[in-house]
Each structure stands twice: as C-alpha cells, then as structure tokens.
Amino acid sequence: MIDYIRKFKDRKKSVHESIINRMLIASLTTSVMATFIFVIIVTLYSNYNVEIKNHLNHFMEMNTNMLPVVALIFTVSVLGSASVATIYFAIPLSNRVKKILQRIEESHELLSRGKLGTRLESTGFQDVDRVCSEFNIMAERTEKQVESLQRLINENKILILETEREASLTERKKIARDLHDAVSQQLFAISISLKAINNLVEANPNKAKKILEKVEEMAQTAQKELRALILQLRPIKLKGIPIHEALVILLKEISKDNESIYFSWEIKGIQNVFVGVEDCLYRIAQEVFSNIIRHAEARNIYIKFYSSDKVLYFFVEDDGIGFDIANSKKSSYGLSNMKERVEEIGGRIDFISVVGKGTRVEIRVPLYHAE
Ligand SMILES: Nc1ncnc2c1ncn2[C@@H]1O[C@H](COP(=O)(O)OP(=O)(O)OP(=O)(O)O)[C@@H](O)[C@H]1O
Ligand SMILES: [Mg+2]
C-alpha cells in the first residue's frame, strides 16, 4: 500500500490530473477541518448554554447509538458537497489549462516544421501570457533570421553564377589564346614552309629536305600543344572516385597518348580526402602534366602520392630541359594558378628546376579527413 502511494506520488502527472488531485485533497482537508471546528464550537457552546447542554444530554441519552451515524452523515455530506463544488470548478479550469498547453505545444511543433508565421494569442492568464509573448518574440526573430538567410543565400547564388560566368569567360579566352599561339601559328608556318618546298623541290632539293624536316618538327609541336590543351580541357571525372584512383586513370590515359615519355608512379590510397581538396589536386595534376608535355621535352616522369602524419604529399618529377623559375613567362597563368589553388586549401607548392636537368614539383597539403 505504502509502495503504491509512493509510486503514485512519484509518477509524473499532467497538469489536468494535478489540479484535480490537489483540489480534491484541499476539499477533503477543508471538510475534515470544518467538521472538527463544528464539533469544537458545539462542545464549547453547550458548556456555556445550559439549555443546549440539556437538549444535547437528552438527545444523547435517547440516541446513544445514533451519534456516530449522525457524525458520519455530517462529515460525508460536508465532504460530498465540497467535492462536488471542487469538481464543478476544477474540471473546467483544468480543461482550460490543458487546452492552453496543447495550443502552445501545437504552435511549437508548427514553428519547428517551418510555419514561421505561427503566433500565440492571449490566454487570459497573466503568467501564461508572458510565456506566449516570449514565444511570439522568438518566432518573429526566427522568421526574420530565416528571411535574411534566404536573401543571403540568394545573393550568394547570384554571385556564384556571376563568378562562374566570369571564370568560364577567362577560360575561353585562355583556350583561344593557346589555340592561336600554339596551333594556329604552327599550322600557318607549316603551310608557308610547304609552299616554299613546292618551289624548291626541283631547284634545290637539299634545302627543300631541310625545310621538310622543320615542317615535321612544327607538326610535332602542334600535336604536342594540342594534346596538352586537350589534357587541360578534360573535365574533372572525380565523381565518387577517390583522388588516388582518379590520378592513376589520368596517368594511364596520358601515357597512352604520349608514348615518347616513360611514366612511372608510386600512388598510395588516401581515404576520405575532402572533395574540395581532391578537386584542387586533380586540376593541379592536369596543369603539371600539361606543362611537362608542352615544355619539358622529358623522357621520364616520376609521380609520388602518399600521406604521412596528416600531410598529403604529391611530387612530380621530370628529366626534361628545366627552366629558370625567376624568369619564367610572366604572361602565363599555369604556375600562378597552381600556387593560388594550393594556398586555398592550406597547402604549399614548390617548383625546383635545374636548366638541362629537369623539374620537380612538390605539393604538401595538411589533411583534415572528411567523415
Ligand atoms: N616541367 C617543365 N619543364 C620545363 N619548363 C617548364 C615546365 N613547367 C613550366 N615550364 C616553363 O614555365 C613557364 C610558365 O609555365 P605556365 O604553366 O605558367 O605557363 P604556360 O604553360 O606557358 O601557359 P599556360 O598559362 O597556358 O599554363 C612555361 O612557359 C615554361 O617555359
Ligand atoms: Mg602551363
């Protein structure tokens, strides 16, 4: 029994239940107190009033057995009427409180589901109204924040689109320039040389042969430039493929197209590299390989890709003609673009080149693994 009472006491009750319980306890206590006070008053009064005392004595002598019954009827009737009154007032009140709580809960749910226009009306209770007005202030603030966030996202989107358009315009200009410098000029020189050969074939066959050799050289250069350009234009095919696998695929394709160069690599798998970092490394690889094809005249390329102590290492080495870094072409974008890209992802890039010996590109990027 005690256990049952303890459990009942400890159980979390709804406001509705608590109000009814407490009011019933209050009415029970009031009834008992009223009965007690009534008995004391009657006892004290009968001690002073002889007539009442006699009546009482007479009544008690006549109905000795009836007294407990009368007391019981009195208590029960007081208790009953108090309980009825309690229930009459308490139930509607607790129902009202229940409805208010339900409305607050529903509004909260609506707000969290994105109906940001949800507001609570006045309830008629001063303290509950304070909670409602706090809720309304919070809802209004959230609505304003979401609105400004959306505006920001929208502005951001427009900016991204503009930047993309700008970038693609720059890219197109660069392709046009490369096609003009590398391919169109070579083809023009080839056609002029061919015309000269035509005139010289009979008059000076030796000179014609020399020019023919030059034509062959020019055609090879144009072909080389075109290959490098195609390599740079190759779209990023990283979707879902980790960078180390994408690099191997790229290298296999380039080595197939450039048989005069011997490619060797040591590429270790690195998992969960951030997509942004992978994208950046792939583009850098395209530029480094394209530079080697275009400028290096290399016979061997060696690539190393691995990670150690949360640093990603990507080294590319060629045994080509090398170049003077301090005096490298100022009008070009390749080297500076690579530097910018690596710095964007918190890494560093070093170009080590010795004229006549070759070039080594060293990239180091700190790794924060994506989950
Ligand atoms: N591996 C390399 N071997 C020899 N020379 C190189 C190598 N990489 C770059 N260079 C030299 O550095 C110069 C600058 O390279 P960069 O990539 O910035 O320009 P680019 O390739 O000429 O033009 P683009 O802007 O189209 O990349 C090249 O013109 C070339 O002379
Ligand atoms: Mg380049």
Side-chain angles (χ1 to χ4, degrees):
M1 179 70 179
I2 292 169
D3 253 17
Y4 178 78
I5 292 172
R6 196 172 296 143
K7 263 189 205 154
F8 182 76
K9 240 183 99 192
D10 290 347
R11 186 171 66 87
K12 278 199 173 161
K13 298 167 203 78
S14 68
V15 176
H16 183 71
E17 213 178 330
S18 298
I19 289 176
I20 304 251
N21 281 351
R22 267 150 216 257
M23 287 196 113
L24 277 173
I25 291 167
S27 71
L28 182 73
T29 322
T30 324
S31 313
V32 172
M33 294 272 287
T35 314
F36 188 61
I37 290 166
F38 179 76
V39 170
I40 288 176
I41 289 171
V42 169
T43 317
L44 286 175
Y45 198 66
S46 61
N47 278 342
Y48 293 107
N49 196 322
V50 181
E51 208 178 318
I52 289 181
K53 196 176 180 180
N54 288 340
H55 274 305
L56 269 175
N57 284 341
H58 181 67
F59 178 80
M60 279 166 86
E61 273 165 24
M62 295 273 296
N63 305 290
T64 339
N65 299 333
M66 288 292 284
L67 195 63
V69 180
V70 170
L72 189 69
I73 290 171
F74 181 79
T75 311
V76 168
S77 57
V78 171
L79 183 65
S81 49
S83 303
V84 169
T86 302
I87 288 166
Y88 181 76
F89 289 111
I91 288 183
L93 173 70
S94 86
N95 276 345
R96 208 167 142 203
V97 172
K98 197 176 163 187
K99 265 189 199 142
I100 290 172
L101 286 176
Q102 258 171 5
R103 213 180 318 141
I104 294 179
E105 200 182 336
E106 276 164 17
S107 303
H108 198 271
E109 176 98 19
L110 283 175
L111 190 75
S112 64
R113 277 212 223 120
K115 274 207 138 199
L116 301 179
T118 312
R119 298 288 182 273
L120 281 166
E121 288 159 15
S122 168
T123 58
F125 295 106
Q126 201 187 30
D127 37 7
V128 181
D129 273 1
R130 226 176 302 133
V131 175
C132 293
S133 106
E134 291 280 332
F135 174 91
N136 290 346
I137 292 171
M138 188 188 80
E140 203 161 315
R141 209 177 301 143
T142 314
E143 197 175 11
K144 277 190 187 145
Q145 277 174 350
V146 170
E147 195 190 321
S148 70
L149 199 75
Q150 279 189 358
R151 205 171 327 116
L152 266 178
I153 290 171
N154 192 35
E155 281 167 13
N156 225 2
K157 198 109 211 159
I158 294 170
L159 266 178
I160 289 171
L161 283 176
E162 274 173 14
T163 318
E164 275 175 0
R165 214 172 300 139
E166 193 77 18
S168 88
L169 211 70
T170 319
E171 192 102 310
R172 279 160 80 167
K173 275 188 200 155
K174 182 180 175 298
I175 295 164
R177 189 203 67 190
D178 284 353
L179 276 174
H180 175 263
D181 289 2
V183 190
S184 173
Q185 278 188 359
Q186 298 281 351
L187 288 177
F188 179 68
I190 289 172
S191 79
I192 300 250
S193 306
L194 284 176
K195 259 187 209 154
I197 291 169
N198 212 12
N199 297 334
L200 284 172
V201 163
E202 280 174 12
N204 193 344
N206 274 349
K207 200 164 180 194
K209 205 177 159 210
K210 271 190 187 147
I211 297 176
L212 204 62
E213 276 164 12
K214 269 197 179 158
V215 167
E216 195 189 348
E217 214 173 278
M218 281 189 278
Q220 273 172 2
T221 311
Q223 201 183 14
K224 205 162 61 175
E225 293 285 349
L226 260 181
R227 267 193 220 126
L229 200 63
I230 290 165
L231 168 61
Q232 277 179 322
L233 288 178
R234 184 192 297 264
I236 290 212
K237 287 196 234 155
L238 276 180
K239 279 182 191 115
I241 309 172
I243 178 70
H244 55 273
E245 279 178 30
L247 279 180
V248 173
I249 296 170
L250 181 67
L251 280 166
K252 280 183 181 162
E253 282 175 27
I254 305 176
S255 54
K256 225 191 291 163
D257 289 343
N258 296 276
E259 284 170 349
S260 59
I261 308 173
Y262 178 74
F263 286 81
S264 58
W265 58 83
E266 218 178 302
I267 292 179
K268 299 240 166 77
I270 308 174
Q271 300 302 328
N272 301 330
V273 180
F274 282 122
V275 179
V277 174
E278 291 190 317
D279 193 279
C280 175
L281 288 171
Y282 192 82
R283 286 191 182 275
I284 290 172
Q286 279 177 310
E287 177 63 34
V288 173
F289 300 147
S290 143
N291 272 355
I292 295 174
I293 295 167
R294 285 173 76 188
H295 315 295
E297 292 173 31
R299 293 176 142 263
N300 295 287
I301 302 185
Y302 173 66
I303 294 106
K304 197 162 178 186
F305 183 88
Y306 67 101
S307 74
S308 162
D309 282 339
K310 293 195 168 180
V311 179
L312 182 152
Y313 297 93
F314 180 29
F315 299 148
V316 183
E317 204 175 286
D318 70 66
D319 60 353
I321 56 170
F323 68 106
D324 181 3
I325 297 159
N327 294 317
S328 68
K329 227 163 89 185
K330 295 283 177 287
S331 59
S332 56
Y333 302 101
L335 300 182
S336 54
N337 262 357
M338 285 195 269
K339 200 163 180 296
E340 265 172 38
R341 280 187 198 278
V342 176
E343 278 166 6
E344 262 170 31
I345 54 169
R348 59 172 287 178
I349 186 164
D350 294 295
F351 303 97
I352 303 140
S353 193
V354 180
V355 177
K357 292 243 162 174
T359 305
R360 183 176 160 90
V361 181
E362 294 186 350
I363 296 157
R364 293 172 175 82
V365 181
L367 276 181
Y368 306 97
H369 280 289
E371 287 306 315

